[in-house]
Amino acid sequence: MTSPTGEIYRIDWVPGTDILHGTCHCGAEHSAQDPIEMWEWMLGHPEGHHPEGHFTDRSQGNSS
């Protein structure tokens, strides 16, 4: 049996939009429309995560 890590992942739906806003246990924030992308970002910690308070917004799609 594994013990709890104490890490909290939070994903909120932004009312009136198709946007999900996530906050990682490290404090990094990210927005996306795709729930799979959001969970991949969360569980990929620390890849793609920036110092606390840094916000990445990919809700408008990929610009590349």
Side-chain angles (χ1 to χ4, degrees):
M1 179 176 216
T2 61
S3 61
T5 63
E7 296 173 351
I8 297 174
Y9 299 88
R10 180 180 182 130
I11 297 177
D12 296 308
W13 166 65
V14 179
T17 71
D18 292 335
I19 306 295
L20 298 171
H21 180 82
T23 306
C24 181
H25 64 88
C26 71
E29 296 180 34
H30 180 76
S31 289
Q33 290 182 341
D34 180 13
I36 295 171
E37 176 188 340
M38 180 60 72
W39 277 112
E40 287 176 344
W41 177 81
M42 287 277 190
L43 299 175
H45 175 84
E47 185 177 317
H49 293 228
H50 303 282
E52 188 170 341
H54 187 277
F55 176 71
T56 57
D57 183 356
R58 298 214 24 218
S59 62
Q60 301 301 315
N62 192 348
S63 61
S64 55

